[in-house]
């Protein structure tokens, strides 16, 4: 098997005496879309923050074969993320946000392409204070994918998006994954992830209680439907 872009091994995290992540282990292969589903408080945000080094945790995290503690700055160049709420400066335009976050070569081309891909053209030169929640969310996702990172981590990206924007985001994630980008996406709504993910991690009280491919999940639910309609 090829080297995974992300590998998490026996990750544990406590806040004081409260343990919120228990022995979390999983891998994400290049170009796969991993859905992380769990109720509020299950530990999704904490897990994502730990992967990004935004909160300390015990365990091993490797990104593209390198321990994330080693040369953290270099490793984070491979990762784009939107965790909790997007960092929006109310008096700056959407385009100014993208300019602030653009890195490396071909910055204007990257900015133009993400504006197009995220359907932001109409609003991009307005001050962000005029943006709806959904627009802010789209701008936050645009900032996460702007520099074409190899791994994209999105915490509840569908929050605040209307059905059309939701569908557009799913199509974009699928297209990018086919081009080789790996996604880790959380939601507390299973059906949202079923429409986009290749694999699912089900998190319950800080433990992965099921790890399955979408194919296996669909096969199991079809089997259940056959059983339940046959009596
Ligand atoms: P939500 O969708 O509501 O954000 P979640 O699955 O992302 O839920 P987390 O935010 O990771 O869950 O929280 C997991 C547990 O850790 C919860 O019990 C939460 O109260 C606790 N927790 C999170 N951050 C902290 C913190 N900074 N200090 C103490 N406890 C925390």
């Amino acid at each position: 098997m090829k080297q995974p872009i992300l590998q998490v091994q026996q990750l544990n995290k406590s806040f004081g005496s409260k343990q919120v992540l228990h022995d979390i282990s999983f891998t994400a292969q290049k170009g796969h879309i991993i859905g992380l589903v769990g109720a509020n408080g299950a530990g999704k945000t904490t897990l994502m923050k730990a992967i990004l080094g935004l909160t300390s945790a015990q365990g091993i995290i490797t990104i593209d074969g390198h321990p994330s503690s080693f040369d953290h700055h270099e490793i984070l160049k491979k990762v784009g993320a939107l965790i909790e709420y997007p960092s929006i400066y109310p008096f700056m335009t959407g385009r100014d946000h993208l300019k602030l976050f653009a890195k490396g070569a071909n910055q204007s081309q990257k900015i133009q392409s993400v504006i197009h891909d995220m359907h932001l053209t109409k609003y991009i030169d307005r001050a962000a204070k005029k943006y709806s929640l959904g627009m802010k969310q789209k701008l936050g996702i645009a900032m996460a994918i702007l520099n074409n990172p190899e791994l994209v981590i999105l915490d509840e990206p569908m929050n605040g998006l209307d059905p059309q924007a939701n569908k557009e985001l799913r199509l974009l994630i699928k297209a990018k994954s086919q081009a080789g980008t790996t996604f880790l996406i959380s939601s507390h709504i299973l059906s949202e992830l079923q429409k986009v993910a290749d694999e699912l991690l089900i998190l319950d009280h800080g433990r992965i209680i099921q790890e399955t491919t979408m194919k296996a999940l669909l096969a199991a639910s079809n089997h259940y439907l056959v059983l339940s309609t046959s009596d």
Side-chain angles (χ1 to χ4, degrees):
M1 189 174 273
K2 283 183 234 146
Q3 175 175 278
I5 183 84
L6 170 67
Q7 188 158 27
V8 176
Q9 287 170 278
Q10 292 182 314
L11 195 74
N12 287 283
K13 167 76 186 173
S14 299
F15 289 109
S17 59
K18 185 180 176 188
Q19 189 165 355
V20 297
L21 295 178
H22 301 259
D23 277 331
I24 303 283
S25 297
F26 69 95
T27 55
Q29 299 292 338
K30 183 175 164 64
H32 284 211
I33 305 169
I34 317 289
L36 178 65
V37 68
N40 291 339
K44 305 178 297 295
T45 304
T46 306
L47 173 56
M48 290 177 150
K49 283 185 173 173
I51 293 169
L52 291 162
L54 295 172
T55 190
S56 62
Q58 285 75 52
I60 302 170
I61 297 164
T62 52
I63 293 177
D64 206 13
H66 303 283
S68 64
S69 52
F70 169 81
D71 206 350
H72 196 67
H73 181 72
E74 274 309 304
I75 286 163
L76 284 187
K77 282 186 187 165
K78 296 174 184 284
V79 187
L82 172 61
I83 301 294
E84 293 179 321
Y85 302 103
S87 308
I88 300 288
Y89 300 93
F91 297 102
M92 279 169 56
T93 66
R95 192 185 300 277
D96 288 339
H97 283 78
L98 297 174
K99 283 185 183 165
L100 193 64
F101 278 80
K103 292 192 177 75
N106 306 321
Q107 294 188 7
S108 356
Q109 198 183 320
K110 284 178 188 165
I111 290 171
Q112 261 330 104
S113 120
V114 85
I115 290 172
H116 172 266
D117 288 348
M118 289 302 300
H119 303 266
L120 285 166
T121 312
K122 202 168 154 191
Y123 309 91
I124 202 66
D125 292 310
R126 293 187 198 166
K129 66 179 178 180
K130 296 193 178 142
Y131 284 17
S132 65
L133 178 63
M135 285 300 304
K136 286 181 185 160
Q137 189 73 347
K138 280 168 74 164
L139 181 59
I141 297 166
M143 291 191 277
I145 62 174
L146 172 66
N147 293 306
N148 302 317
E150 291 176 47
L151 172 64
V152 179
I153 297 180
L154 300 174
D155 191 13
E156 303 265 0
M158 280 87 177
N159 259 0
L161 298 188
D162 62 34
Q164 178 62 23
N166 225 305
K167 189 176 167 195
E168 288 164 0
L169 178 61
R170 287 200 303 271
L171 290 174
L172 180 63
I173 289 172
K174 284 188 177 171
K176 285 201 168 285
S177 81
Q178 276 157 18
T181 310
T182 307
F183 285 87
L184 177 63
I185 305 171
S186 76
S187 178
H188 58 283
I189 304 171
L190 176 63
S191 60
E192 272 185 359
L193 293 175
Q194 277 177 314
K195 290 180 190 157
V196 69
D198 303 309
E199 291 157 47
L200 264 188
L201 300 173
I202 302 178
L203 196 62
D204 182 38
H205 293 92
R207 294 176 199 274
I208 294 182
I209 56 162
Q210 197 173 357
E211 187 173 357
T212 182
T213 61
M214 204 46 74
K215 252 187 188 167
L217 192 71
L218 285 174
S221 59
N222 285 340
H223 177 67
Y224 174 74
L225 279 177
V226 171
L227 285 179
S228 58
T229 51
S230 62
D231 44 288

